[in-house]
Amino acid sequence: MDLSESMMAAPPLVRDAILRVIDSQRFSAYPDDSPLYPLLADYVGVSPSQLLVTNGSDHAIQLILRAFLSPGDQLQVIDPSFPIYAHVARTLGAEVRCVPLESDFSFSAERFIEAMDQGPRLCVLVNPNNPTGTLIPLESIRAVAAARPGPLIVDEAYYEYAGITAVSLLAAHPNIIVTRTFSKAFGLAGLRLGYVVAHPEIVRQLRKLRLPFDVNAFAVSAATGHFSDLSIMRRYVRAIVSEAKPQLLRFFDGSGVKVFPSAANFVLVDLSQRDHVVQRLRANGVLVAPQAHARLASAVRIAIPIPEQLSRFQTAFTSALDASA
């Protein structure tokens, strides 16, 4: 429960698609991701020319930052947030400007736009944010995109759980670049598959930086299998959002544990004896993610388990709390 991965088994259609690649021995040839584009375009609701498939969303992040940042340029991010953006920017010689979230970890568009007076070359909003779970309203994203013409990344790794997307803003704000992944709701973290949704010209420029065979044949086949029946993934998402999440929140409330609002498949909780609780959970075979950020010194990010695993977590968590009391 520490990496917010999908906890469902791979659907039969996905397993069958991978087995077909093995049986055909097509993996001896270089991969071809072109069959994925029309399926992905239909899922996202855009033209294939607005899409770029990547080797995980981390690869997409690297491509975009390499395309827009030079030494001395500034990247503006919210804080705390997904640290990969700052890490990649610094390896490129760029400066990183962090705009703090509010005390309750909500996002202030006014504060973020005011900070843009410093002239960042590239801005990033993670929505929902990781690790806080903060949901940024589309109107706030629209305001940031309209405030200056520079590129704005909107990281939507947890889009399927939140159900809110900035893709609808692309027509009016072509400076928005959306990144997504198959690692979360689709359960393909081990196969590494992500994608970019952007204006066709931005996609064309990013494609120049992507190596020709970055996306492997097994990842393409697995995604194709998913698209043959999306109801399986959607049922899993509903089970997490509509069943397991409310039960987990009620459990935390009954345990007196502070939980921050989250629109993702994880929650951020505050624990007075955090490290001891984390150790006790680990001893019981449950992994969670203690946070290193200074503002999250007593916080733990916990992925929401599937309903069948919820009681096991509750038992382990109650035991860990009792032992640390």
Side-chain angles (χ1 to χ4, degrees), residues 176-191:
I176 291 177
I177 306 170
V178 173
T179 63
R180 290 188 187 169
T181 182
F182 282 83
S183 294
K184 305 303 180 183
F186 285 95
L188 301 183
L191 293 180

Side-chain angles (χ1 to χ4, degrees), residues 4-6 157-163 184-185 236-237 240-241 263-265:
S4 302
E5 300 150 317
S6 170
Y158 300 94
Y159 155 69
E160 280 78 15
Y161 297 102
K184 305 303 180 183
Y236 171 75
V237 170
I240 294 295
V241 174
N265 68 326

Side-chain angles (χ1 to χ4, degrees), residues 248-257 259 267 269 302 313 317:
L248 185 62
L249 293 177
R250 286 194 296 270
F251 167 73
F252 282 137
D253 183 59
S255 302
V257 174
V259 182
V267 291
V269 304
I302 302 174
F313 169 75
F317 191 83

